[in-house]
Amino acid sequence: MDTETTILDRKTSSDHATLADKFNLDEPRVDWHDKTLWFIRKKRDKAASQLQEWEQLRAVASDIKNNVLANLHTYLLAFERNAQQNGITVHWASDAAEHNKIVHKIIEKTGIKQVVKSKSMLTEECHLNAYLKTQGIEVIDTDLGERIVQLAGEPPSHIVLPCIHWKKEEIGELFSHHLGTPEGNSDPQFLTAAARIHLRQHFMSSRLAITGVNFAVAETGEIVVCTNEGNADLGVQLADVHIACVGIEKIIPLRKHLGVFLRLLARSATGQPITTYSSHFQKPRKGQEMHIVLVDNGRSKRLGSADFRNALKCIRCGACMNTCPVYRRSGGHSYHYAIAGPIGAILAPGLDMKKHADLPFASTLCGSCSNVCPVKIDIHDQLYKWRQLLAQNRKVGITKRVGANTMAYILSHHTLYTFAGTAGRWLMKYVPFIISNRFNPWYKQREMPKPPEHSFARWYHQNRNFK
Amino acid sequence: MKVALFVPCYIDQFYPQVAIATLEVLEKLGASVSYPEKQTCCGQPMANAGFEDLTDPCNTIFIRQFSGFDYIVSPSGSCVLHIKDHLHSSANHEETSQIKKKVFELTEFLTDIVGVKHLNSKFYHKVGLHQSCHGQRGLKLSQMSELIAPDFSKPQDLLRMVEGLELIDLDRKDECCGFGGMFSVSEEAVSVKMGKDRVADHLQYGAEYITANDMSCLMHLEGILRRQKSPTKVIHIAEILNAGL
Amino acid sequence: MSSRDHILEVIRKNQPKGLPLQEIAFSDGEPFDKISKFTTVLESIGGTVIPINEWGEVEAYLNQRFSTEKRWVNLVPELRNLAPLADFTEDPHLLENVMVAILPGHFGVAENGAVWITEELMGDRALPFICEHLALIIRAENIFPTLHDAYTHIDKSQYGFGTYIAGPSKTADIEQSLVLGAHGPKSLMLFLITET
């Protein structure tokens, strides 16, 4: 069914254009957000340029991930077998709902009511926290950025830098309200120290830890979790039960491939050579129960699409977000999905074509994203392909459809095309207010082009065509 | 060599001076240039909006108009890229594939095919070069800042041959201007913000003119400059190369 | 059909054809001084590198920096004068009051300033994360140039748990201001044994 027809098809207040519009009302803030993320893109450039083999590394990583897609069946079975041999319980979840139920069931058996969780975009995707809350279980997000947005009641706006959209004064105010820090104190050092004490209490009291997984190694059954804060490790090592949630596409074939991916991940994400901790969990600690939940949630389906399967190579570094000129000027929340930015725009419509139909159009197809992607996902090509699919499935609004059909008709008939051009120039010259008015979105902040006297075709005919 | 001039639809209708300059540059450098008069549009505006399936008539016209030339040259990186990537015909595979090999954007034609090393052009102004995305990242007209790879720039090389032209620095050498076709109106706020930021970058380094391979970028930046009542103007690279040539 | 079987079935049906894995080989870059690079990188990410020729220097440094009234835990046999070994059969929560933990590492990696340490060198897996300050000790000759070299070395290692530690715990989540000492150790001292 078509969406309602308003000017330029603003569906509801929840589409990217409308949300980005709101975001842009505060121009100094947009500048601040944009400059902060651009700075991180520059840090990535600096770190990457230290490795003369950077482009080769990207090519190798891309090849490995392509191999994973072609052999996912084999690798998943190998991973499961090896993990089980190491004393880990492996679960399989078809979708988000099943993932949440599995995690809940594990927690329920223990009687634990409060758990700690380190960063996992997969659990965001599955809305795990909200589900567990309905079951009477409180989740404390322990990554500082995630804790901040959790206290604020918001989702993260960036997959690596969850509260990049928060200013330190605002965080100070938040902490004053929730943690009792002195009002007006916005010193990052002080606030972090306060958060350390607050979260240390939770680490000490929580007996169950949920983590994400950066890489799962088929060869050995081990999982790797990367953090700068050490929150994943602290949570797990003080817990009786460790639940690690991982998308099935996060498998890599061999342990030595970690050498490739760990060299790319942090440099791409934040410009660091490596995160502070890159922890390899192969066996549970003595006396601890360890679970891995493998999650599908649309991934196996996407695997079957030649156009879109490359998105499964993603290692969730966020480099595409940092470089995207649109993301930097619209903020992660404008993408209304757990994962924002370019990668979010090619993942989200796969899960809900109707809800996320606007995302592939939130782009100029500049191609910057594809070229910072450490695993060479053809992001901007997929954005283009999603647009075709969405138009074919009538998920593009009627104004655009009518407009495109009209344009196509005019441009297929030379006489009509010539006439339309002449008429347009005439209108713009003699009755400009017909086009230059507040109903024309172009005209809101830009002048219309000045209409020339004649088209080039007319000039050529008059000046060059001496047949 | 027989060259066909491929004039993007909006240049034909709104910026004829760019097509005239392109024609004159090619002729002055010795090419025999034809202008297939029934050409209309490459189809990119519809395709980028998701309606590539409506572009068959445009493809048919294009193939018919541009068959039989040695080269097809256009003052537009994005239109050339669209033809290279998306021109198709269910009937005419051979001709289609030939055209894709022969279609060139102006600066890459001058650099790679004509092999221009010297120009008599004169343009005594401070100029900012805007790297239009499709030409840069798609056609590889110049190196992109994302890659760890040697620097090069075909448009810049040509501009450096122009007497009196002072090329300014920029903070962000290759950030997108924000035009993006339909994006310029469907995501007006972000589009304009991106354009304003590009303009500010050029203005802070004293650009009297902003130039690019793509008139669409310049149309968008010009709209902002004129709204700001700025004395800085936009000019297509063909017009600079043609100046005093 | 269980979810597992269903997922595997769909995957088997949908996975594309692909190329086999290639051998990973990178051309050697410009040769560099591993020790100097390791030191520069680790210090740039917040670690402190202290080259030493004899064990007494470790004692002297730590004694000067930390009060012996606080709890120290040492797992380096050569430093047994410094502090007794903790009882690691106890609950890791009891390690919360450890001011300084002194642990041996296996090796370092020059390109990123990281030290590889596995479970059996940690005493308890929680120790390197829960202590307030962490001291690691490696031999300068045990520094690999890159992570590829490191993984070639540990390719067949058996460990229950291992981690690369690159500097003190940190965060930049508050307006990108770097703060050392997030949830883990507030400082990382790397003693580099340079005598042969």
Side-chain angles (χ1 to χ4, degrees):
Chain A
M1 261 327 287
D2 268 335
T3 54
E4 54 178 87
T5 54
T6 58
I7 288 178
L8 293 174
D9 302 303
R10 299 285 165 89
K11 285 176 262 209
T12 63
S13 62
S14 66
D15 79 337
H16 183 276
T18 312
L19 294 167
D21 213 9
K22 266 202 211 113
F23 191 83
N24 273 276
L25 290 175
D26 186 345
E27 191 169 359
R29 195 175 184 110
V30 174
D31 287 333
W32 166 80
H33 187 263
D34 163 69
K35 284 188 173 63
T36 306
L37 285 156
W38 180 254
F39 181 62
I40 299 170
R41 153 74 210 271
K42 295 308 281 178
K43 284 206 285 184
R44 170 252 165 212
D45 290 355
K46 185 157 179 236
S49 65
Q50 311 268 332
L51 304 186
Q52 60 158 41
E53 69 270 36
W54 180 259
E55 295 303 330
Q56 199 190 349
L57 209 50
R58 287 178 69 219
V60 168
S62 174
D63 286 346
I64 295 171
K65 282 285 186 170
N66 285 337
N67 175 273
V68 169
L69 297 185
N71 299 281
L72 192 57
H73 188 268
T74 310
Y75 290 139
L76 279 169
L77 285 177
F79 176 77
E80 180 193 47
R81 185 178 60 244
N82 289 318
Q84 284 168 340
Q85 274 171 14
N86 287 324
I88 301 170
T89 309
V90 178
H91 311 257
W92 299 69
S94 292
D95 55 22
E98 194 177 355
H99 160 269
N100 294 343
K101 287 205 185 74
I102 290 170
V103 173
H104 175 236
K105 198 145 164 237
I106 298 167
I107 301 173
E108 202 181 34
K109 266 210 204 105
T110 65
I112 292 169
K113 293 291 178 205
Q114 199 188 72
V115 307
V116 289
K117 180 164 77 79
S118 62
K119 205 185 288 147
S120 160
M121 290 321 298
L122 176 65
T123 63
E124 275 300 319
E125 186 187 313
C126 298
H127 302 293
L128 177 68
N129 290 16
Y131 177 78
L132 290 177
K133 190 169 180 193
T134 67
Q135 306 300 315
I137 293 159
E138 193 191 357
V139 177
I140 307 288
D141 283 322
T142 58
D143 173 89
L144 178 58
E146 293 220 312
R147 184 62 178 149
I148 288 167
V149 294
Q150 184 174 53
L151 289 174
E154 283 182 358
S157 71
H158 187 291
I159 63 176
V160 169
L161 316 158
C163 65
I164 193 76
H165 60 295
W166 276 73
K167 293 202 164 186
K168 60 181 189 285
E169 291 77 15
E170 293 158 350
I171 297 170
E173 213 180 294
L174 185 76
F175 276 18
S176 168
H177 180 74
H178 289 276
L179 307 185
T181 51
E183 255 186 66
N185 188 320
S186 64
D187 174 48
Q189 191 94 24
F190 183 86
L191 294 173
T192 305
R196 179 194 175 95
I197 296 170
H198 159 73
L199 284 163
R200 189 53 84 99
Q201 284 165 7
H202 286 290
F203 287 127
M204 290 297 283
S205 61
S206 171
R207 294 187 292 123
L208 189 143
I210 302 171
T211 70
V213 170
N214 292 89
F215 304 101
V217 183
E219 183 189 24
T220 56
E222 70 195 288
I223 58 170
V224 178
V225 182
C226 303
T227 68
N228 277 318
E229 298 176 22
N231 57 310
D233 298 286
L234 213 40
V236 170
Q237 302 309 347
L238 296 174
D240 298 329
V241 182
H242 173 195
I243 308 174
C245 306
V246 58
I248 52 175
E249 85 285 18
K250 289 291 196 70
I251 297 279
I252 61 172
L254 304 175
R255 177 186 283 171
K256 71 179 181 199
H257 292 153
L258 290 168
V260 175
F261 292 104
L262 289 179
R263 297 185 82 204
L264 286 165
L265 178 63
R267 287 184 173 99
S268 301
T270 55
Q272 301 172 276
I274 196 169
T275 50
T276 307
Y277 304 103
S278 309
S279 293
H280 300 45
F281 298 82
Q282 195 163 208
K283 297 186 175 78
R285 63 176 285 140
K286 192 145 152 257
Q288 185 190 66
E289 234 179 83
M290 184 169 162
H291 300 260
I292 293 176
V293 186
L294 292 164
V295 181
D296 184 346
N297 203 32
R299 290 156 172 78
S300 62
K301 180 177 171 206
R302 181 182 283 267
L303 188 62
S305 161
D307 283 342
F308 302 119
R309 66 168 64 102
N310 280 336
L312 293 171
K313 291 157 68 174
C314 180
I315 62 173
R316 301 289 193 267
C317 71
C320 58
M321 281 164 224
N322 302 337
T323 199
C324 179
V326 175
Y327 174 90
R328 282 187 268 112
R329 294 174 180 83
S330 55
H333 290 159
S334 297
Y335 293 78
H336 50 74
Y337 179 60
I339 299 170
I343 186 70
I346 61 173
L347 288 173
L351 281 175
D352 189 335
M353 223 197 241
K354 180 160 183 215
K355 188 170 174 201
H356 302 299
D358 56 324
L359 296 183
F361 293 92
S363 164
T364 57
L365 304 180
C366 77
S368 185
C369 51
S370 304
N371 289 288
V372 295
C373 178
V375 290
K376 293 189 153 184
I377 301 171
D378 52 341
I379 303 176
H380 73 293
D381 289 336
Q382 290 193 39
L383 287 167
Y384 178 86
K385 288 174 183 160
W386 267 117
R387 294 180 183 192
Q388 311 309 319
L389 201 61
L390 289 164
Q392 281 156 28
N393 283 278
R394 300 176 95 82
K395 296 285 182 288
V396 173
I398 197 162
T399 313
K400 258 194 193 146
R401 242 187 314 127
V402 168
N405 274 283
T406 311
M407 249 197 303
Y409 187 78
I410 293 173
L411 294 166
S412 319
H413 299 85
H414 190 262
T415 322
L416 194 53
Y417 158 75
T418 308
F419 173 75
T422 310
R425 278 190 299 282
W426 191 91
L427 284 172
M428 284 169 77
K429 186 169 178 188
Y430 294 108
V431 277
F433 54 83
I434 278 195
I435 297 167
S436 303
N437 56 53
R438 64 191 174 90
F439 294 108
N440 175 0
W442 178 280
Y443 192 69
K444 192 170 169 199
Q445 301 188 70
R446 290 164 286 204
E447 292 300 311
M448 294 292 289
K450 280 203 204 92
E453 215 37 64
H454 297 297
S455 67
F456 171 77
R458 172 88 183 262
W459 175 92
Y460 188 88
H461 191 74
Q462 287 180 338
N463 291 280
R464 290 309 184 81
N465 220 345
F466 302 124
K467 291 203 197 104
Chain B
M1 48 181 156
K2 277 171 61 199
V3 175
L5 187 61
F6 159 25
V7 179
C9 53
Y10 67 101
I11 289 185
D12 177 30
Q13 301 291 357
F14 292 106
Y15 297 98
Q17 73 275 21
V18 174
I20 295 169
T22 306
L23 173 65
E24 292 183 349
V25 167
L26 290 169
E27 288 177 333
K28 286 171 190 173
L29 292 172
S32 156
V33 187
S34 308
Y35 170 65
E37 292 197 65
K38 295 271 185 281
Q39 63 183 281
T40 56
C41 171
C42 67
Q44 193 191 182
M46 286 81 74
N48 280 357
F51 297 93
E52 193 182 331
D53 55 0
L54 293 177
T55 61
D56 284 343
C58 284
N59 286 332
T60 309
I61 293 175
F62 195 92
I63 294 166
R64 200 184 309 134
Q65 291 292 300
F66 288 99
S67 296
F69 291 94
D70 296 326
Y71 299 101
I72 304 157
V73 181
S74 180
S76 166
S78 65
C79 302
V80 167
L81 183 67
H82 179 80
I83 294 294
K84 275 193 139 73
D85 282 351
H86 298 292
L87 184 73
H88 67 268
S89 159
S90 41
N92 226 332
H93 295 290
E94 183 51 37
E95 198 51 55
T96 308
S97 124
Q98 281 302 313
I99 285 174
K100 283 178 169 185
K101 290 200 193 93
K102 294 182 202 170
V103 66
F104 289 89
E105 179 277 338
L106 177 66
T107 59
E108 67 174 346
F109 182 73
L110 295 178
T111 312
D112 297 345
I113 306 296
V114 178
V116 169
K117 292 279 183 287
H118 168 78
L119 286 169
N120 292 328
S121 325
K122 297 169 194 35
F123 196 74
Y124 281 82
H125 294 285
K126 281 175 101 163
V127 176
L129 172 61
H130 171 72
Q131 308 266 26
S132 301
C133 299
H134 295 125
Q136 184 199 24
R137 294 192 186 85
L139 296 177
K140 314 272 191 282
L141 297 182
S142 51
Q143 189 55 276
M144 60 184 105
S145 59
E146 292 84 0
L147 297 185
I148 309 304
D151 204 15
F152 70 89
S153 172
K154 296 174 193 180
Q156 194 164 271
D157 287 346
L158 290 167
L159 287 173
R160 289 207 188 288
M161 296 176 197
V162 175
E163 187 183 311
L165 190 148
E166 192 187 327
L167 213 49
I168 59 161
D169 271 328
L170 291 169
D171 280 350
R172 300 188 191 181
K173 274 175 59 180
D174 55 9
E175 188 179 41
C176 178
C177 70
F179 175 70
M182 294 284 282
F183 181 89
S184 61
V185 289
S186 64
E187 290 258 3
E188 182 266 347
V190 177
S191 173
V192 169
K193 181 61 183 150
M194 285 167 72
K196 280 167 76 177
D197 289 349
R198 285 294 76 236
V199 162
D201 196 3
H202 285 263
L203 293 186
Q204 75 170 327
Y205 287 104
E208 296 169 70
Y209 284 88
I210 300 177
T211 191
N213 298 83
D214 263 280
M215 204 59 212
S216 46
C217 307
L218 295 173
M219 175 171 69
H220 168 69
L221 295 178
E222 182 184 49
I224 291 165
L225 282 163
R226 283 177 50 221
R227 181 60 62 92
Q228 291 177 352
K229 304 215 190 313
S230 167
T232 299
K233 295 190 177 16
V234 302
I235 185 169
H236 191 278
I237 200 169
E239 298 175 85
I240 293 181
L241 298 179
N242 194 35
L245 187 62
Chain C
M1 202 191 243
S2 69
S3 291
R4 173 188 183 275
D5 293 341
H6 178 74
I7 292 168
L8 285 167
E9 189 51 47
V10 176
I11 289 173
R12 190 212 298 270
K13 202 174 45 137
N14 282 347
Q15 62 190 16
K17 297 242 179 315
L19 295 168
L21 287 173
Q22 308 291 319
E23 265 312 304
I24 303 169
F26 293 99
S27 43
D28 290 331
E30 292 290 314
F32 58 84
D33 180 338
K34 293 181 302 181
I35 297 170
S36 162
K37 179 120 189 222
F38 177 82
T39 303
T40 310
V41 174
L42 182 48
E43 298 210 316
S44 76
I45 56 179
T48 309
V49 180
I50 308 119
I52 56 165
N53 290 315
E54 37 169 54
W55 296 104
E57 294 174 65
V58 178
E59 296 183 34
Y61 182 94
L62 292 174
N63 275 318
Q64 187 231 357
R65 207 178 142 192
F66 301 104
S67 156
T68 45
E69 273 155 51
K70 301 285 186 169
R71 186 175 171 198
W72 298 30
V73 171
N74 165 44
L75 271 105
V76 178
E78 291 87 339
L79 293 170
R80 65 180 74 82
N81 295 327
L82 213 44
L85 298 181
D87 183 350
F88 289 114
T89 58
E90 279 184 25
D91 182 353
H93 292 78
L94 298 174
L95 296 168
E96 218 276 321
N97 61 357
V98 173
M99 166 66 78
V100 188
I102 307 148
L103 307 177
H106 289 289
F107 57 78
V109 183
E111 70 162 319
N112 54 32
V115 173
W116 173 250
I117 177 170
T118 52
E119 182 169 33
E120 70 277 11
L121 299 182
M122 293 177 192
D124 185 290
R125 293 184 186 189
L127 186 56
F129 307 100
I130 201 170
C131 63
E132 193 143 329
H133 299 273
L134 179 62
L136 293 174
I137 310 191
I138 60 168
R139 293 191 171 277
E141 69 252 28
N142 292 342
I143 293 178
F144 291 105
T146 71
L147 221 44
H148 300 299
D149 307 303
Y151 274 103
T152 308
H153 186 76
I154 61 168
D155 198 25
K156 302 289 173 238
S157 294
Q158 291 294 316
Y159 48 79
F161 175 76
T163 188
Y164 285 102
I165 299 181
S169 92
K170 57 182 177 270
T171 181
D173 273 331
I174 300 181
E175 269 207 62
Q176 289 297 296
S177 283
L178 183 65
V179 177
L180 301 181
H183 304 299
K186 294 175 180 170
S187 75
L188 187 287
M189 295 153 284
L190 192 293
F191 292 99
L192 200 54
I193 304 172
T194 49
E195 54 89 0
T196 47

